[in-house]
Amino acid sequence: MESEEKERSGETFTGLDRKGKAVTSVHFRDCVFRNCDLTGATFRFCEFKDCSFESCNLSLVKLPASSFSGTIFKDSKLIGINWTEAAWPKIQLAIPVQFDNCLLNDSVFLGLHLAGTRITRCLAKGADFRDADLSKADLTRTDFSGALFGQTDLTGANLDQARNYAIRVADNRVKGASFSMPEAMALLYCLDIKIL
């Protein structure tokens, strides 16, 4: 990936190693990143539109003012990313990011509008979803151990086979959300009631 090329379209990057490197003002459209190591890289003012990351390591990546539209992460490691640094549109026309079978531990999604997104079969230990809009999101089969939910919009979200979540019904919007047993019992533990 040559830093002077500012438009990259329809390309496949395989085995790319950009650990700790900076990429500035590059627009990626319909690009595929496969088996790339981008640990600790900085993507500043970059745009990712309809891209996919497959089996990549993006842990501790920094995303100042970068934008995402229709980007899919699959079988990838995305630990410790502060997604709030990215540029998020005021009006969401497409689902910005989706995650399938990824490690999202200690990532920050605080206050982001991610309605309709997919976070499936992921490990999201200690992730911060407070004040986020996850309405109609597909959160199935994800492990939310220690994840933070507070004033989170989970209206119509699907949490079938999701596990280890601590979601206080009184502090979050959960109308129409789907939960499966026995994990749904965790919702009762957050209420001030006695279970006999």
Side-chain angles (χ1 to χ4, degrees):
M1 184 182 348
E2 299 298 325
S3 59
E4 62 269 8
E5 293 187 49
K6 298 301 182 184
E7 298 285 336
R8 306 304 290 257
S9 182
E11 296 183 53
T12 298
F13 303 97
T14 303
L16 186 68
D17 187 339
R18 298 289 293 181
K19 289 191 295 262
K21 305 286 186 189
V23 179
T24 303
S25 299
V26 179
H27 301 275
F28 298 95
R29 287 184 176 80
D30 298 305
C31 290
V32 176
F33 296 82
R34 189 173 290 130
N35 298 311
C36 297
D37 191 349
L38 306 169
T39 308
T42 299
F43 290 92
R44 183 177 287 109
F45 298 107
C46 292
E47 177 187 13
F48 295 90
K49 183 174 173 60
D50 300 321
C51 293
S52 67
F53 290 81
E54 302 167 5
S55 301
C56 293
N57 188 347
L58 295 103
S59 294
L60 303 175
V61 160
K62 293 177 178 53
L63 304 167
S66 288
S67 64
F68 295 86
S69 176
T71 300
I72 298 172
F73 298 89
K74 186 172 182 181
D75 304 319
S76 293
K77 192 174 179 182
L78 302 118
I79 294 174
I81 298 177
N82 183 355
W83 291 92
T84 65
E85 292 179 339
W88 299 94
K90 301 252 188 264
I91 299 172
Q92 183 177 329
L93 301 175
I95 295 171
V97 290
Q98 298 183 60
F99 306 94
D100 181 41
N101 197 37
C102 292
L103 291 176
L104 300 171
N105 298 351
D106 303 313
S107 291
V108 179
F109 299 92
L110 182 73
L112 297 184
H113 185 77
L114 298 170
T117 196
R118 187 175 74 225
I119 303 174
T120 57
R121 302 184 307 141
C122 293
L123 192 57
K125 288 186 175 182
D128 191 346
F129 296 101
R130 291 175 297 166
D131 296 309
D133 182 354
L134 293 171
S135 59
K136 298 184 180 173
D138 182 352
L139 308 174
T140 56
R141 300 174 63 193
T142 292
D143 186 337
F144 290 104
S145 298
L148 301 174
F149 294 91
Q151 300 303 312
T152 308
D153 188 352
L154 293 161
T155 306
N158 184 355
L159 286 98
D160 184 34
Q161 296 183 51
R163 59 195 180 283
N164 298 320
Y165 47 80
I167 298 171
R168 294 182 57 84
V169 176
D171 297 337
N172 297 280
R173 293 183 292 284
V174 296
K175 184 176 181 179
S178 301
F179 299 91
S180 57
M181 296 296 283
E183 291 82 7
M185 292 299 291
L187 299 172
L188 295 176
Y189 295 130
C190 294
L191 298 174
D192 189 19
I193 60 172
K194 290 181 181 176
I195 301 173
L196 304 174

